[in-house]
Amino acid sequence: MKSMYNFLTSKTMIAAVIISFTIAGCQENSVENQSTATSEPSGSLLRTSGESEFVDGELLIQFKEGVSAAAKQKAFDKVKGQPVEKILTKAMERAGKKEGLALLKVNKNVLEAIAELKGAEGVEFAEPNYVYYHTAISTDTYFTNGSLWGMYGPATSPASTYGSNAAAAWAAGKTGLASVYVGVIDEGIQLTHPDLAGQVWVNPADPTDGVDNDGNGLTDDTNGWDFANNDASIYDGGTKGSLDDHGTHVSGTIGGKANGQGVVGVNWNIRLISAKFLGRRGGTTANAVKAVDYLTTLKNRGINIVASNNSWGGGGYSQALYDAIARANNAGIMFIAAAGNAGTNNDITASYPANYNLPNVISVAAIDKNGALASFSQYGATTVDIGAPGVAINSTTAYNSYSSYNGTSMATPHVSGAVALYASTHPGASVAQIRNAILSSAVPTPSLAGKTVTGGRLDVNAALSK
């Protein structure tokens, strides 16, 4: 009998060439080779008819392997384009994509330029440089009541029928391991926050000394890398237009430590790696690809990264980002994605990256403490997998603070935390095993019936028994 949890076949692949996401000189600089290109969206932003933002005057081209220099130049000339960056990550090279991605400046309508490149010699695909944004809605700037209902379960104390039931796992002594890593693809993380100090990865191969000791082209990527500003500072604390509140908030839900103060995450012991790509104006496809591939490269070098948390979305189908997530899948990294906050049906109107039909993608909707699907949460009977707490979620924020946020952004790290906790009790578990454990243990929930693939909500403790 075919398992009902073969979710690869239950998701719908929506492969539009020019539909978008939202989160979000010709030197051949690889991302690992300190590209000098501006990484945060610098031009004005445009939308397609589908209301997906992209950077005006920029597009991404993937050339076929072995294409001639003459064919490339012909493509550039066809759209009056100037290549400004070659994105060639170690993960791309490992996957046989030696051509990388070309980021092109064009002095014409982006969508017209893409249409002109369709079928051009040597061009595999061309697409906009989409812009993504985080998917949170701030409801309270103060940590007022200490409520962490999203961590409780029906039999824990305190109790919450519709919480993630992480507290039941803690009671059984399952609190995580420092040898398990989760990448936070988002804004940055305040690594000195009282509840996060010691939870953020310290790269033993590249201490902060002004030297690229590990030879990956990123000097002093001691705690991760800031692709939005192209530097090693994963926490800017407002100095570059981003408070890094959002990245710090999701980090606290995944791995806030138990220290008798503030909040606590699903994992008390864990290591978080910052792959920052969201800045003040969101983030781009180009930088999202770099961030995903950065984690894949670290995994291929032996770091036990089990998942990335992706509390962002928007824009249209991007082959470049799909390929990067597929490389992460091949490396054994789960990709946990927010379903989105527009209150719409993802089966009808695709939302990316949540809608990518890949084995490592789990798409997460938000529920409130009464078990209702949040009014803002996107859903989809075949494209959104599971629900998790996403309303009035208290967690860490920048400047040693605590805040309550709403959003599928807040639901997603509950699932990422569950993946990490599962990996701590099931060393070496595959993507398929982790996916099945999380989804097959979902608790049937009326508000999610017919709205998600599982029809249920996250149960961290039950997943650990799978």
Side-chain angles (χ1 to χ4, degrees), residues 147-171 264 266 367-369 389 414 443 457-462:
S147 172
L148 287 176
W149 74 269
M151 298 294 170
Y152 307 145
T156 64
S157 181
S160 174
T161 299
Y162 297 100
S164 70
N165 207 22
W170 307 336
V264 68
V266 175
I367 60 172
D368 66 20
K369 64 181 180 180
H414 283 88
V443 181
R457 66 183 186 274
L458 175 68
D459 187 323
V460 175
N461 192 50

Coordinates of all heavy atoms in Angstrom, one line a residue, residues 147-171 264 266 367-369 389 414 443 457-462:
S147 N 4.5 34.4 28.3 CA 3.8 33.2 27.8 C 4.5 32.6 26.6 O 4.9 33.3 25.6 CB 2.4 33.7 27.3 OG 1.7 32.6 26.7
L148 N 4.8 31.3 26.7 CA 5.3 30.6 25.6 C 4.4 29.4 25.2 O 4.8 28.2 25.2 CB 6.7 30.0 25.9 CG 7.9 31.0 26.0 CD1 9.1 30.4 26.5 CD2 8.1 31.7 24.7
W149 N 3.2 29.7 24.9 CA 2.2 28.7 24.7 C 2.6 27.8 23.5 O 2.2 26.6 23.5 CB 0.8 29.3 24.4 CG 0.7 29.9 23.0 CD1 0.9 31.2 22.7 CD2 0.3 29.3 21.8 NE1 0.7 31.4 21.3 CE2 0.3 30.3 20.8 CE3 -0.1 28.0 21.5 CZ2 0.0 30.0 19.4 CZ3 -0.4 27.7 20.1 CH2 -0.4 28.7 19.1
G150 N 3.3 28.3 22.6 CA 3.8 27.5 21.4 C 4.7 26.3 21.8 O 4.8 25.4 21.0
M151 N 5.3 26.4 23.0 CA 6.1 25.3 23.5 C 5.4 24.2 24.3 O 5.9 23.1 24.5 CB 7.3 25.8 24.3 CG 8.2 26.8 23.5 SD 9.1 25.9 22.2 CE 9.8 27.4 21.4
Y152 N 4.2 24.5 24.8 CA 3.5 23.7 25.7 C 2.7 22.6 24.9 O 2.6 22.6 23.7 CB 2.5 24.4 26.5 CG 3.2 25.6 27.3 CD1 2.5 26.8 27.5 CD2 4.5 25.5 27.7 CE1 3.0 27.8 28.2 CE2 5.0 26.6 28.4 CZ 4.3 27.7 28.6 OH 4.9 28.8 29.3
G153 N 2.2 21.6 25.6 CA 1.4 20.6 25.1 C 0.2 20.3 26.0 O 0.0 21.0 27.0
P154 N -0.7 19.4 25.6 CA -1.9 19.2 26.4 C -1.7 18.7 27.8 O -2.5 18.9 28.7 CB -2.8 18.3 25.5 CG -1.7 17.6 24.6 CD -0.7 18.6 24.4
A155 N -0.6 18.0 28.0 CA -0.3 17.4 29.3 C 0.8 18.0 30.1 O 1.3 17.5 31.1 CB -0.1 15.9 29.2
T156 N 1.4 19.1 29.5 CA 2.5 19.7 30.2 C 2.0 20.8 31.2 O 0.8 21.1 31.3 CB 3.4 20.4 29.2 OG1 2.7 21.5 28.5 CG2 3.9 19.4 28.1
S157 N 2.9 21.3 32.0 CA 2.6 22.3 32.9 C 3.5 23.5 32.8 O 4.7 23.3 33.1 CB 2.6 21.8 34.4 OG 2.2 22.8 35.3
P158 N 3.0 24.7 32.3 CA 1.7 25.0 31.9 C 1.3 24.2 30.7 O 2.1 23.6 30.0 CB 1.7 26.5 31.6 CG 3.0 27.0 32.2 CD 3.9 25.8 32.2
A159 N 0.0 24.1 30.4 CA -0.5 23.3 29.3 C -1.1 24.2 28.2 O -1.6 25.3 28.5 CB -1.6 22.3 29.8
S160 N -1.1 23.7 27.0 CA -1.8 24.3 25.9 C -2.1 23.2 24.9 O -1.2 22.6 24.4 CB -0.9 25.4 25.2 OG -1.6 25.9 24.0
T161 N -3.4 23.1 24.7 CA -3.8 22.0 23.8 C -3.2 22.1 22.4 O -2.8 21.1 21.8 CB -5.3 22.0 23.6 OG1 -5.9 21.8 24.9 CG2 -5.8 20.9 22.7
Y162 N -3.0 23.3 21.9 CA -2.6 23.5 20.5 C -1.1 23.9 20.4 O -0.7 24.4 19.3 CB -3.5 24.5 19.9 CG -4.9 23.9 19.8 CD1 -5.9 24.4 20.7 CD2 -5.3 23.0 18.9 CE1 -7.2 23.9 20.7 CE2 -6.6 22.5 18.8 CZ -7.5 22.9 19.7 OH -8.8 22.4 19.7
G163 N -0.3 23.8 21.5 CA 1.1 24.1 21.4 C 1.8 23.0 20.7 O 1.3 22.0 20.3
S164 N 3.1 23.2 20.5 CA 3.9 22.2 19.7 C 4.3 21.0 20.5 O 4.8 20.0 20.0 CB 5.2 22.9 19.3 OG 6.1 23.2 20.4
N165 N 4.0 21.0 21.8 CA 4.3 19.9 22.7 C 5.8 19.6 22.9 O 6.3 18.5 23.3 CB 3.6 18.6 22.3 CG 3.4 17.6 23.4 OD1 3.3 18.0 24.6 ND2 3.2 16.4 23.1
A166 N 6.6 20.7 22.7 CA 8.1 20.5 22.9 C 8.4 20.3 24.4 O 9.3 19.5 24.7 CB 8.8 21.8 22.4
A167 N 7.6 20.9 25.3 CA 7.9 20.7 26.7 C 7.8 19.2 27.1 O 8.5 18.8 28.1 CB 6.9 21.6 27.5
A168 N 6.9 18.4 26.5 CA 6.9 17.0 26.8 C 8.2 16.3 26.5 O 8.6 15.4 27.2 CB 5.7 16.4 26.1
A169 N 8.8 16.7 25.4 CA 10.1 16.2 25.0 C 11.2 16.5 26.0 O 12.0 15.7 26.4 CB 10.5 16.6 23.6
W170 N 11.1 17.8 26.5 CA 12.1 18.2 27.5 C 12.0 17.4 28.8 O 13.0 17.0 29.4 CB 11.9 19.7 27.8 CG 11.9 20.6 26.7 CD1 12.5 20.4 25.4 CD2 11.3 21.9 26.6 NE1 12.3 21.5 24.6 CE2 11.6 22.4 25.3 CE3 10.6 22.7 27.5 CZ2 11.2 23.7 24.9 CZ3 10.2 23.9 27.1 CH2 10.4 24.4 25.8
A171 N 10.7 17.1 29.1 CA 10.4 16.4 30.4 C 11.0 14.9 30.3 O 11.4 14.3 31.3 CB 8.9 16.3 30.6
V264 N 12.8 30.3 26.0 CA 13.5 29.1 25.7 C 13.0 28.6 24.4 O 11.9 28.7 24.0 CB 13.4 28.0 26.8 CG1 11.9 27.5 26.9 CG2 14.3 26.9 26.7
V266 N 12.9 25.5 21.2 CA 12.6 24.0 21.1 C 13.8 23.2 21.5 O 13.7 22.2 22.2 CB 12.1 23.7 19.7 CG1 11.9 22.2 19.5 CG2 10.8 24.4 19.3
I367 N -1.1 28.6 13.3 CA -2.3 28.5 14.0 C -2.2 29.3 15.3 O -1.1 29.7 15.7 CB -2.6 27.0 14.4 CG1 -1.5 26.4 15.3 CG2 -2.9 26.2 13.2 CD1 -1.8 25.1 15.9
D368 N -3.3 29.7 15.9 CA -3.3 30.4 17.2 C -3.5 29.4 18.3 O -3.6 28.2 18.2 CB -4.3 31.5 17.1 CG -5.8 31.0 17.1 OD1 -6.1 29.9 17.4 OD2 -6.7 31.8 16.7
K369 N -3.5 30.0 19.6 CA -3.6 29.2 20.8 C -4.9 28.4 20.9 O -5.0 27.5 21.8 CB -3.3 30.0 22.0 CG -4.3 31.1 22.3 CD -3.9 31.8 23.5 CE -4.9 32.9 23.9 NZ -4.4 33.7 25.1
P389 N 2.4 26.7 15.9 CA 2.1 28.0 16.5 C 2.7 29.2 15.9 O 3.9 29.2 15.6 CB 2.7 27.8 17.9 CG 2.6 26.3 18.1 CD 3.0 25.7 16.8
H414 N 9.4 26.7 14.8 CA 8.9 25.6 15.6 C 9.2 24.3 14.9 O 9.7 23.3 15.5 CB 7.4 25.7 16.0 CG 7.1 26.8 17.0 ND1 6.8 28.1 16.7 CD2 7.0 26.7 18.3 CE1 6.6 28.7 17.8 NE2 6.6 27.9 18.8
V443 N -0.9 16.2 14.5 CA -2.1 15.9 15.2 C -3.3 16.5 14.4 O -3.3 17.7 14.1 CB -2.1 16.6 16.6 CG1 -3.4 16.4 17.4 CG2 -0.9 16.2 17.4
R457 N -1.4 19.6 13.0 CA -0.4 20.5 13.6 C 0.8 19.8 14.1 O 0.7 18.6 14.4 CB -1.1 21.3 14.7 CG -1.5 20.5 15.9 CD -2.2 21.4 16.9 NE -2.5 20.6 18.2 CZ -3.6 19.9 18.3 NH1 -4.5 19.8 17.4 NH2 -3.8 19.2 19.5
L458 N 1.8 20.5 14.3 CA 3.1 19.9 14.8 C 3.0 19.4 16.2 O 2.4 20.0 17.1 CB 4.2 21.1 14.8 CG 5.5 20.7 15.4 CD1 6.3 19.7 14.5 CD2 6.4 22.0 15.6
D459 N 3.5 18.2 16.4 CA 3.7 17.6 17.7 C 5.1 17.2 17.9 O 5.5 16.1 17.4 CB 2.7 16.4 18.0 CG 2.8 15.9 19.4 OD1 3.8 15.9 20.0 OD2 1.7 15.5 19.9
V460 N 6.0 18.0 18.5 CA 7.4 17.7 18.6 C 7.7 16.4 19.3 O 8.5 15.6 18.8 CB 8.1 18.9 19.3 CG1 9.6 18.5 19.5 CG2 8.0 20.2 18.6
N461 N 7.0 16.2 20.4 CA 7.3 15.0 21.2 C 6.9 13.7 20.4 O 7.6 12.7 20.4 CB 6.5 15.0 22.5 CG 7.0 13.9 23.5 OD1 8.2 13.8 23.7 ND2 6.1 13.2 24.0
A462 N 5.7 13.7 19.7 CA 5.3 12.5 19.0 C 6.3 12.2 17.8 O 6.5 11.1 17.5 CB 3.9 12.8 18.5

